Amino acid sequence: MSEQDLIRELAKLLDETGLTEIEVEREGLRVRVARQAVTHVIAGGGASHVPAIPSVAPAPAAIPLDVVDPAKHPGVVTSPMVGTAYRASEPTAKPFVDIGSMVKVGDPLLIIEAMKTMNQIPSPRVGKVTQILFEDGHPVEYGEPLMIIE
């Protein structure tokens, strides 16, 4: 089976199962196919999740050498799982935290949806949220820096 055939089969499997992401590794070839859910607000205050067409991410811009890696920051909060990160409990709700918010241990920071389960991510420390490093409604990887709490 060619690489393109494998990708087509995986995309078809995503549609059939309702999954948002699938990854396989075979004979040294690793393929990951993912789709993002796009939320559309409907008149009357409702919301509808519609699968988005997978897109190719643009090449990252050059990073200046003096920029500190957020993953090495002592106050970093990393993703405990692969999934889709949301700043609020529902599309029209107020975010759990904003930059400048003071948090205590156990306060909810965000939700990660994994395998159709909403997982609330609590604050591991007391402090002030100084950076939010993920985009609402986008996929996150295990270990990916999500926030900085100082």
Side-chain angles (χ1 to χ4, degrees):
M1 175 181 287
S2 74
E3 291 175 19
Q4 289 181 352
D5 291 338
L6 177 60
I7 292 169
R8 284 188 184 99
E9 286 297 314
L10 292 174
K12 184 178 174 184
L13 186 60
L14 282 179
D15 288 336
E16 291 172 359
T17 60
L19 294 172
T20 57
E21 181 176 323
I22 191 167
E23 183 174 339
V24 296
E25 186 169 352
R26 191 184 304 166
E27 299 171 7
L29 173 67
R30 189 174 189 178
V31 178
R32 180 177 146 226
V33 178
R35 78 168 148 224
Q36 298 171 339
V38 178
T39 302
H40 298 282
V41 176
I42 301 172
S48 169
H49 290 285
V50 179
I53 298 172
S55 62
V56 176
I63 300 173
L65 294 177
D66 62 340
V67 173
V68 178
D69 182 4
K72 293 182 173 42
H73 191 285
V76 70
V77 177
T78 59
S79 178
M81 65 190 73
V82 173
T84 303
Y86 298 99
R87 294 190 56 207
S89 58
E90 54 186 56
T92 58
K94 180 178 174 262
F96 292 110
V97 295
D98 289 308
I99 293 176
S101 296
M102 294 300 295
V103 295
K104 300 179 302 233
V105 174
D107 284 352
L109 298 175
L110 65 138
I111 290 177
I112 297 180
E113 178 184 8
M115 298 180 66
K116 305 228 183 238
T117 301
M118 298 299 188
N119 302 282
Q120 199 171 79
I121 308 304
S123 176
R125 66 186 55 84
V126 173
K128 180 165 100 174
V129 177
T130 59
Q131 292 183 47
I132 298 175
L133 305 168
F134 70 96
E135 195 168 336
D136 191 42
H138 283 85
V140 294
E141 296 291 328
Y142 173 79
E144 179 177 333
L146 299 173
M147 291 185 187
I148 304 288
I149 299 175
E150 294 181 346

PDB file of all heavy atoms in Angstrom, residues 35-41 47-53 84 86 91 136-138:
ATOM      1  N   ARG A  35      -8.185  15.955  12.215  1.00  0.00           N
ATOM      2  CA  ARG A  35      -9.067  17.008  11.734  1.00  0.00           C
ATOM      3  C   ARG A  35      -9.469  17.829  12.947  1.00  0.00           C
ATOM      4  O   ARG A  35      -9.494  17.340  14.067  1.00  0.00           O
ATOM      5  CB  ARG A  35     -10.278  16.454  11.008  1.00  0.00           C
ATOM      6  CG  ARG A  35     -11.334  15.931  11.939  1.00  0.00           C
ATOM      7  CD  ARG A  35     -12.633  15.647  11.226  1.00  0.00           C
ATOM      8  NE  ARG A  35     -13.210  14.532  11.957  1.00  0.00           N
ATOM      9  CZ  ARG A  35     -13.748  13.489  11.405  1.00  0.00           C
ATOM     10  NH1 ARG A  35     -13.820  13.401  10.126  1.00  0.00           N
ATOM     11  NH2 ARG A  35     -14.222  12.531  12.148  1.00  0.00           N
ATOM     12  N   GLN A  36      -9.783  19.081  12.688  1.00  0.00           N
ATOM     13  CA  GLN A  36     -10.158  19.978  13.765  1.00  0.00           C
ATOM     14  C   GLN A  36     -11.655  20.213  13.695  1.00  0.00           C
ATOM     15  O   GLN A  36     -12.235  20.276  12.622  1.00  0.00           O
ATOM     16  CB  GLN A  36      -9.451  21.315  13.633  1.00  0.00           C
ATOM     17  CG  GLN A  36      -7.956  21.183  13.718  1.00  0.00           C
ATOM     18  CD  GLN A  36      -7.266  22.484  13.377  1.00  0.00           C
ATOM     19  OE1 GLN A  36      -7.833  23.342  12.736  1.00  0.00           O
ATOM     20  NE2 GLN A  36      -6.029  22.620  13.801  1.00  0.00           N
ATOM     21  N   ALA A  37     -12.265  20.362  14.877  1.00  0.00           N
ATOM     22  CA  ALA A  37     -13.677  20.717  14.942  1.00  0.00           C
ATOM     23  C   ALA A  37     -13.767  22.225  14.988  1.00  0.00           C
ATOM     24  O   ALA A  37     -13.098  22.880  15.768  1.00  0.00           O
ATOM     25  CB  ALA A  37     -14.338  20.111  16.167  1.00  0.00           C
ATOM     26  N   VAL A  38     -14.583  22.782  14.102  1.00  0.00           N
ATOM     27  CA  VAL A  38     -14.786  24.225  14.051  1.00  0.00           C
ATOM     28  C   VAL A  38     -16.160  24.505  14.634  1.00  0.00           C
ATOM     29  O   VAL A  38     -17.138  23.853  14.286  1.00  0.00           O
ATOM     30  CB  VAL A  38     -14.709  24.729  12.589  1.00  0.00           C
ATOM     31  CG1 VAL A  38     -14.973  26.210  12.533  1.00  0.00           C
ATOM     32  CG2 VAL A  38     -13.360  24.394  12.001  1.00  0.00           C
ATOM     33  N   THR A  39     -16.235  25.457  15.531  1.00  0.00           N
ATOM     34  CA  THR A  39     -17.503  25.792  16.156  1.00  0.00           C
ATOM     35  C   THR A  39     -18.116  26.973  15.431  1.00  0.00           C
ATOM     36  O   THR A  39     -17.467  27.985  15.219  1.00  0.00           O
ATOM     37  CB  THR A  39     -17.299  26.143  17.641  1.00  0.00           C
ATOM     38  OG1 THR A  39     -16.681  25.030  18.270  1.00  0.00           O
ATOM     39  CG2 THR A  39     -18.596  26.467  18.309  1.00  0.00           C
ATOM     40  N   HIS A  40     -19.380  26.836  15.058  1.00  0.00           N
ATOM     41  CA  HIS A  40     -20.133  27.906  14.435  1.00  0.00           C
ATOM     42  C   HIS A  40     -21.261  28.289  15.373  1.00  0.00           C
ATOM     43  O   HIS A  40     -21.996  27.433  15.837  1.00  0.00           O
ATOM     44  CB  HIS A  40     -20.730  27.450  13.097  1.00  0.00           C
ATOM     45  CG  HIS A  40     -19.701  27.050  12.092  1.00  0.00           C
ATOM     46  ND1 HIS A  40     -18.979  27.965  11.373  1.00  0.00           N
ATOM     47  CD2 HIS A  40     -19.242  25.837  11.721  1.00  0.00           C
ATOM     48  CE1 HIS A  40     -18.145  27.331  10.578  1.00  0.00           C
ATOM     49  NE2 HIS A  40     -18.275  26.029  10.780  1.00  0.00           N
ATOM     50  N   VAL A  41     -21.387  29.567  15.660  1.00  0.00           N
ATOM     51  CA  VAL A  41     -22.482  30.011  16.508  1.00  0.00           C
ATOM     52  C   VAL A  41     -23.700  30.192  15.618  1.00  0.00           C
ATOM     53  O   VAL A  41     -23.635  30.811  14.560  1.00  0.00           O
ATOM     54  CB  VAL A  41     -22.121  31.328  17.227  1.00  0.00           C
ATOM     55  CG1 VAL A  41     -23.292  31.834  18.028  1.00  0.00           C
ATOM     56  CG2 VAL A  41     -20.913  31.114  18.103  1.00  0.00           C
ATOM     57  N   ALA A  47     -24.723  26.403  19.401  1.00  0.00           N
ATOM     58  CA  ALA A  47     -23.432  26.193  18.744  1.00  0.00           C
ATOM     59  C   ALA A  47     -23.449  24.842  18.062  1.00  0.00           C
ATOM     60  O   ALA A  47     -24.116  23.923  18.503  1.00  0.00           O
ATOM     61  CB  ALA A  47     -22.294  26.260  19.749  1.00  0.00           C
ATOM     62  N   SER A  48     -22.725  24.749  16.986  1.00  0.00           N
ATOM     63  CA  SER A  48     -22.660  23.504  16.229  1.00  0.00           C
ATOM     64  C   SER A  48     -21.204  23.199  15.938  1.00  0.00           C
ATOM     65  O   SER A  48     -20.463  24.067  15.509  1.00  0.00           O
ATOM     66  CB  SER A  48     -23.433  23.677  14.920  1.00  0.00           C
ATOM     67  OG  SER A  48     -23.196  22.602  14.065  1.00  0.00           O
ATOM     68  N   HIS A  49     -20.785  21.959  16.207  1.00  0.00           N
ATOM     69  CA  HIS A  49     -19.414  21.548  15.882  1.00  0.00           C
ATOM     70  C   HIS A  49     -19.447  20.876  14.517  1.00  0.00           C
ATOM     71  O   HIS A  49     -20.165  19.926  14.300  1.00  0.00           O
ATOM     72  CB  HIS A  49     -18.871  20.565  16.927  1.00  0.00           C
ATOM     73  CG  HIS A  49     -18.608  21.213  18.239  1.00  0.00           C
ATOM     74  ND1 HIS A  49     -17.527  22.035  18.448  1.00  0.00           N
ATOM     75  CD2 HIS A  49     -19.291  21.190  19.404  1.00  0.00           C
ATOM     76  CE1 HIS A  49     -17.546  22.471  19.688  1.00  0.00           C
ATOM     77  NE2 HIS A  49     -18.610  21.976  20.286  1.00  0.00           N
ATOM     78  N   VAL A  50     -18.640  21.396  13.600  1.00  0.00           N
ATOM     79  CA  VAL A  50     -18.584  20.885  12.238  1.00  0.00           C
ATOM     80  C   VAL A  50     -17.138  20.509  11.949  1.00  0.00           C
ATOM     81  O   VAL A  50     -16.239  21.307  12.194  1.00  0.00           O
ATOM     82  CB  VAL A  50     -19.044  21.966  11.231  1.00  0.00           C
ATOM     83  CG1 VAL A  50     -18.970  21.447   9.819  1.00  0.00           C
ATOM     84  CG2 VAL A  50     -20.454  22.436  11.563  1.00  0.00           C
ATOM     85  N   PRO A  51     -16.887  19.290  11.437  1.00  0.00           N
ATOM     86  CA  PRO A  51     -15.505  18.937  11.136  1.00  0.00           C
ATOM     87  C   PRO A  51     -14.928  19.859  10.064  1.00  0.00           C
ATOM     88  O   PRO A  51     -15.584  20.151   9.074  1.00  0.00           O
ATOM     89  CB  PRO A  51     -15.589  17.503  10.613  1.00  0.00           C
ATOM     90  CG  PRO A  51     -16.988  17.057  10.784  1.00  0.00           C
ATOM     91  CD  PRO A  51     -17.826  18.245  11.133  1.00  0.00           C
ATOM     92  N   ALA A  52     -13.724  20.307  10.289  1.00  0.00           N
ATOM     93  CA  ALA A  52     -13.043  21.163   9.322  1.00  0.00           C
ATOM     94  C   ALA A  52     -12.232  20.290   8.377  1.00  0.00           C
ATOM     95  O   ALA A  52     -11.831  19.190   8.721  1.00  0.00           O
ATOM     96  CB  ALA A  52     -12.128  22.140  10.036  1.00  0.00           C
ATOM     97  N   ILE A  53     -11.988  20.805   7.208  1.00  0.00           N
ATOM     98  CA  ILE A  53     -11.151  20.094   6.254  1.00  0.00           C
ATOM     99  C   ILE A  53      -9.718  20.214   6.732  1.00  0.00           C
ATOM    100  O   ILE A  53      -9.260  21.303   7.075  1.00  0.00           O
ATOM    101  CB  ILE A  53     -11.299  20.711   4.846  1.00  0.00           C
ATOM    102  CG1 ILE A  53     -12.750  20.563   4.390  1.00  0.00           C
ATOM    103  CG2 ILE A  53     -10.335  20.085   3.866  1.00  0.00           C
ATOM    104  CD1 ILE A  53     -13.063  21.293   3.116  1.00  0.00           C
ATOM    105  N   THR A  84      -7.913  18.023  22.044  1.00  0.00           N
ATOM    106  CA  THR A  84      -8.247  19.364  21.605  1.00  0.00           C
ATOM    107  C   THR A  84      -8.455  20.218  22.841  1.00  0.00           C
ATOM    108  O   THR A  84      -9.238  19.860  23.716  1.00  0.00           O
ATOM    109  CB  THR A  84      -9.520  19.363  20.731  1.00  0.00           C
ATOM    110  OG1 THR A  84      -9.314  18.478  19.621  1.00  0.00           O
ATOM    111  CG2 THR A  84      -9.830  20.747  20.211  1.00  0.00           C
ATOM    112  N   TYR A  86      -9.540  23.551  25.015  1.00  0.00           N
ATOM    113  CA  TYR A  86     -10.541  24.614  25.055  1.00  0.00           C
ATOM    114  C   TYR A  86     -10.315  25.456  26.305  1.00  0.00           C
ATOM    115  O   TYR A  86     -10.063  24.925  27.381  1.00  0.00           O
ATOM    116  CB  TYR A  86     -11.959  24.035  25.090  1.00  0.00           C
ATOM    117  CG  TYR A  86     -12.301  23.223  23.877  1.00  0.00           C
ATOM    118  CD1 TYR A  86     -12.230  21.840  23.908  1.00  0.00           C
ATOM    119  CD2 TYR A  86     -12.684  23.842  22.690  1.00  0.00           C
ATOM    120  CE1 TYR A  86     -12.535  21.082  22.787  1.00  0.00           C
ATOM    121  CE2 TYR A  86     -12.983  23.096  21.566  1.00  0.00           C
ATOM    122  CZ  TYR A  86     -12.913  21.715  21.619  1.00  0.00           C
ATOM    123  OH  TYR A  86     -13.222  20.982  20.510  1.00  0.00           O
ATOM    124  N   PRO A  91     -18.623  26.879  24.089  1.00  0.00           N
ATOM    125  CA  PRO A  91     -18.205  27.965  23.192  1.00  0.00           C
ATOM    126  C   PRO A  91     -18.597  29.375  23.654  1.00  0.00           C
ATOM    127  O   PRO A  91     -17.854  30.315  23.435  1.00  0.00           O
ATOM    128  CB  PRO A  91     -18.885  27.627  21.869  1.00  0.00           C
ATOM    129  CG  PRO A  91     -19.068  26.151  21.919  1.00  0.00           C
ATOM    130  CD  PRO A  91     -19.316  25.820  23.366  1.00  0.00           C
ATOM    131  N   ASP A 136      -7.327  28.308  21.360  1.00  0.00           N
ATOM    132  CA  ASP A 136      -8.591  27.690  21.736  1.00  0.00           C
ATOM    133  C   ASP A 136      -9.148  26.852  20.586  1.00  0.00           C
ATOM    134  O   ASP A 136      -9.225  27.304  19.443  1.00  0.00           O
ATOM    135  CB  ASP A 136      -9.594  28.778  22.132  1.00  0.00           C
ATOM    136  CG  ASP A 136     -10.839  28.219  22.772  1.00  0.00           C
ATOM    137  OD1 ASP A 136     -10.718  27.302  23.605  1.00  0.00           O
ATOM    138  OD2 ASP A 136     -11.934  28.701  22.447  1.00  0.00           O
ATOM    139  N   GLY A 137      -9.516  25.602  20.911  1.00  0.00           N
ATOM    140  CA  GLY A 137     -10.130  24.726  19.918  1.00  0.00           C
ATOM    141  C   GLY A 137      -9.152  24.032  18.989  1.00  0.00           C
ATOM    142  O   GLY A 137      -9.574  23.410  18.016  1.00  0.00           O
ATOM    143  N   HIS A 138      -7.868  24.103  19.290  1.00  0.00           N
ATOM    144  CA  HIS A 138      -6.869  23.467  18.437  1.00  0.00           C
ATOM    145  C   HIS A 138      -6.250  22.260  19.144  1.00  0.00           C
ATOM    146  O   HIS A 138      -6.221  22.193  20.369  1.00  0.00           O
ATOM    147  CB  HIS A 138      -5.777  24.469  18.052  1.00  0.00           C
ATOM    148  CG  HIS A 138      -6.221  25.411  16.985  1.00  0.00           C
ATOM    149  ND1 HIS A 138      -6.915  26.560  17.255  1.00  0.00           N
ATOM    150  CD2 HIS A 138      -6.101  25.345  15.642  1.00  0.00           C
ATOM    151  CE1 HIS A 138      -7.197  27.174  16.124  1.00  0.00           C
ATOM    152  NE2 HIS A 138      -6.711  26.458  15.123  1.00  0.00           N
TER     153      HIS A 138
END
